[in-house]
């Protein structure tokens, strides 16, 4: 089974910009994979940020954006705020009807 | 208000069964694909299963295939996860989620419940 890869951790300063990526152990991520991004803080349910590669979920600030960068899906956060310190997960769809989450990226704002 | 409320979690012994439920409200339930996702303690999210709007198409992760069955009752706005032959590695929080668009093929989750905890231990 293809593994979905994410950076284990990332650090960013308040007000800065960070781009988290989501790749495949074999092949490239494209729009056919319907990549999604979720934010999760400890003890809470995941919150949907992006679905369908670029579509922002309801209520999500426009400083969160999704894209394809080269062979990977990407989540870019501009004007990072302290409240953005969370775990971020990507999700990728595979033909045949299965989904695979990445291992998650722990974002630290310092 | 969009809402998904899971129930049915608990402590069971290895080899036993458990049935989770997820009741939906605030949207037209029978037009959305639905999902189950789980998270072991201190670990990441894992997709478990999905079912189509009419319960006709259901897919599972390899780790639960043959042991878990997802179903839905559109008259009750509820999805279920029947879990048999439970193992210690099935321990975790189980989340119910809704697809991001109505009708058509699945597109990824956008509304999540708060989860229900399953513990498999002797």
């Amino acid at each position: 089974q293809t593994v979905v890869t994410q950076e284990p951790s990332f650090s960013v300063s308040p007000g800065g910009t960070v781009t988290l990526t989501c790749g495949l152990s074999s092949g490239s991520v494209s729009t056919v994979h319907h990549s999604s991004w979720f934010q999760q803080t400890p003890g809470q349910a995941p919150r949907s940020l992006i679905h369908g590669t670029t579509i922002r979920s309801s209520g999500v600030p426009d400083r969160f954006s999704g894209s394809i960068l080269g062979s990977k899906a990407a989540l870019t956060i501009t004007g990072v705020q302290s409240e953005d310190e969370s775990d971020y997960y990507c999700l990728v769809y595979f033909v045949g009807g299965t989904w695979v989450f990445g291992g998650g990226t722990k974002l630290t704002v310092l | 208000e969009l809402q998904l409320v899971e129930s049915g979690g608990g402590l069971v012994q290895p080899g036993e069964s458990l049935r989770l439920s997820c009741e939906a409200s605030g949207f037209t339930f029978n037009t959305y694909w639905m999902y189950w996702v789980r998270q072991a303690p201190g670990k990441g999210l894992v997709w478990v299963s999905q079912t189509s709007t009419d319960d006709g198409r259901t897919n599972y992760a390899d780790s639960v295939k043959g042991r878990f069955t997802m179903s839905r009752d559109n008259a009750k706005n509820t999805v279920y996860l029947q879990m048999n032959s439970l193992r210690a590695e099935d321990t975790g929080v189980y989340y119910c989620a809704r697809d991001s668009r109505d009708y058509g093929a699945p597109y990824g989750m956008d509304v999540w419940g708060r989860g229900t905890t399953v513990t498999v231990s002797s």
Side-chain angles (χ1 to χ4, degrees):
Chain A
Q1 182 180 359
T2 303
V3 175
V4 177
T5 60
Q6 296 184 245
E7 299 87 359
S9 62
F10 229 115
S11 295
V12 61
S13 299
T17 296
V18 64
T19 297
L20 310 182
T21 67
C22 176
L24 302 179
S25 58
S26 176
S28 300
V29 178
S30 70
T31 56
V32 302
H33 292 98
H34 303 326
S35 54
S36 302
W37 291 91
F38 305 92
Q39 178 190 52
Q40 188 182 36
T41 53
Q44 300 296 314
R47 172 197 182 196
S48 178
L49 298 175
I50 301 289
H51 59 267
T53 307
T54 61
I55 303 169
R56 204 174 295 115
S57 297
S58 177
V60 174
D62 60 8
R63 53 198 185 79
F64 291 89
S65 62
S67 64
I68 297 291
L69 286 181
S71 61
K72 297 182 178 183
L75 173 71
T76 299
I77 312 172
T78 59
V80 171
Q81 302 177 4
S82 58
E83 67 206 48
D84 297 332
E85 184 163 292
S86 298
D87 294 325
Y88 291 84
Y89 294 93
C90 71
L91 174 69
V92 172
Y93 176 76
F94 292 93
V95 172
T98 61
W99 299 84
V100 179
F101 281 96
T105 296
K106 184 177 183 63
L107 181 67
T108 301
V109 181
L110 41 70
Chain B
E1 179 192 2
L2 294 174
Q3 197 169 13
L4 298 171
V5 179
E6 302 94 336
S7 61
L11 171 63
V12 295
Q13 295 190 345
E16 293 186 339
S17 299
L18 207 56
R19 187 199 199 200
L20 306 183
S21 300
C22 169
E23 185 172 359
S25 59
F27 62 96
T28 305
F29 178 73
N30 64 3
T31 64
Y32 287 88
W33 284 68
M34 297 294 294
Y35 304 87
W36 285 100
V37 174
R38 70 182 181 186
Q39 187 169 35
K43 302 296 185 181
L45 301 172
V46 175
W47 171 79
V48 172
S49 62
Q50 67 182 16
T51 190
S52 61
T53 56
D54 60 358
D55 209 20
R57 287 163 289 171
T58 307
N59 302 95
Y60 301 93
D62 287 344
S63 58
V64 306
K65 202 174 294 183
R67 300 188 299 124
F68 289 12
T69 302
M70 183 177 185
S71 61
R72 66 190 295 161
D73 184 338
N74 286 338
K76 295 183 178 180
N77 288 355
T78 301
V79 290
Y80 304 97
L81 187 66
Q82 177 66 44
M83 305 185 296
N84 298 331
S85 302
L86 282 162
R87 306 166 180 168
E89 54 264 36
D90 295 319
T91 293
V93 177
Y94 284 71
Y95 296 102
C96 167
R98 189 198 79 170
D99 196 73
S100 55
R101 65 180 184 185
D102 53 357
Y103 299 108
Y107 210 52
M109 311 100 188
D110 75 338
V111 179
W112 293 69
R114 294 191 174 189
T116 186
T117 300
V118 173
T119 304
V120 185
S121 175
S122 55

